[in-house]
Amino acid sequence: MCKGECCVEGDSGAPLEELEIPILEEIYEEVKPYMTEEGINVIESNGSFDYDEDGDYATPLVNNQECAYVNYKNGVTYCAIEKAYLDGKIDWKKPISCHLYPVRLSKYKEFIAVNYHKWSICSTALKKGHQSGVPLFEYLKEPLTRQFGEEWYDTLCKEIRSGKYDDIINK
């Protein structure tokens, strides 16, 4: 089971698209009740976004560690933005990089690379997916479709199920 450790670990906040910044600013008041006091202080002092070491937009961090938009319940880290969404307070689920994780997108001039970010903190979730027969691409159907559309996702499924990539997938 995923325990949201990627929201706490790492060397920067979650990557943000430029178009997500005004959304974060617009929904802040609805998300605020779901946030920790420390996260609220960071947002109100420094703003709804920050920059990573490459100068790209990222979610701000509390004490250079956890995302300002997290909270905790029963030992599990959860996203305050997503919680507000699930409670019907806002109509935006969360930043696409968070929704896609552990997949990361790398944008190039002519294409976008979709890469699995292998990190030990995801091992229990991957193990559960393997045991239940749900491959990562199926688990990530909603965010992959959100990012690329249904036609792209259907093509991805067809390609994976063709067997052409079994040697790569089964490593």
Side-chain angles (χ1 to χ4, degrees):
M1 177 179 149
C2 176
K3 295 189 184 237
E5 289 181 64
C6 61
C7 301
V8 178
E9 299 293 328
D11 52 10
S12 66
L16 292 171
E17 299 288 332
E18 186 173 2
L19 60 87
E20 293 176 319
I21 294 168
I23 296 170
L24 287 171
E25 292 167 350
E26 181 181 317
I27 64 173
Y28 174 67
E29 288 301 323
E30 288 78 23
V31 173
K32 184 177 173 179
Y34 299 93
M35 296 171 62
T36 65
E37 195 64 39
E38 295 87 354
I40 292 168
N41 290 339
V42 166
I43 299 295
E44 293 187 356
S45 297
N46 303 328
S48 59
F49 71 96
D50 202 348
Y51 299 93
D52 66 15
E53 60 191 27
D54 296 325
D56 296 321
Y57 300 115
T59 59
L61 298 177
V62 174
N63 298 324
N64 270 345
Q65 194 168 7
E66 71 215 33
C67 175
Y69 296 102
V70 302
N71 210 325
Y72 304 92
K73 185 175 183 178
N74 302 325
V76 176
T77 304
Y78 69 87
C79 177
I81 299 166
E82 185 172 19
K83 181 70 171 131
Y85 170 83
L86 293 171
D87 284 353
K89 305 293 183 186
I90 59 175
D91 62 0
W92 187 65
K93 191 163 192 170
K94 58 182 163 183
I96 192 65
S97 70
C98 301
H99 202 182
L100 282 167
Y101 200 77
V103 162
R104 284 287 187 229
L105 305 179
S106 299
K107 295 180 181 180
Y108 297 93
K109 190 175 185 177
E110 296 182 19
F111 65 93
I112 299 173
V114 180
N115 296 299
Y116 166 62
H117 180 220
K118 188 173 184 177
W119 195 8
S120 62
I121 64 173
C122 295
S123 62
T124 56
L126 290 170
K127 186 176 183 179
K128 183 175 190 238
H130 182 73
Q131 290 170 342
S132 62
V134 179
L136 188 59
F137 76 95
E138 287 180 7
Y139 177 77
L140 294 174
K141 178 182 180 177
E142 181 185 348
L144 286 168
T145 303
R146 173 183 165 197
Q147 177 67 30
F148 297 109
E150 284 189 42
E151 184 178 336
W152 181 94
Y153 182 79
D154 291 344
T155 301
L156 171 71
C157 292
K158 183 179 176 184
E159 286 294 313
I160 290 171
R161 291 185 178 121
S162 74
K164 289 190 273 188
Y165 305 100
D166 286 352
D167 59 329
I168 297 169
I169 293 170
N170 296 322
K171 280 188 177 181

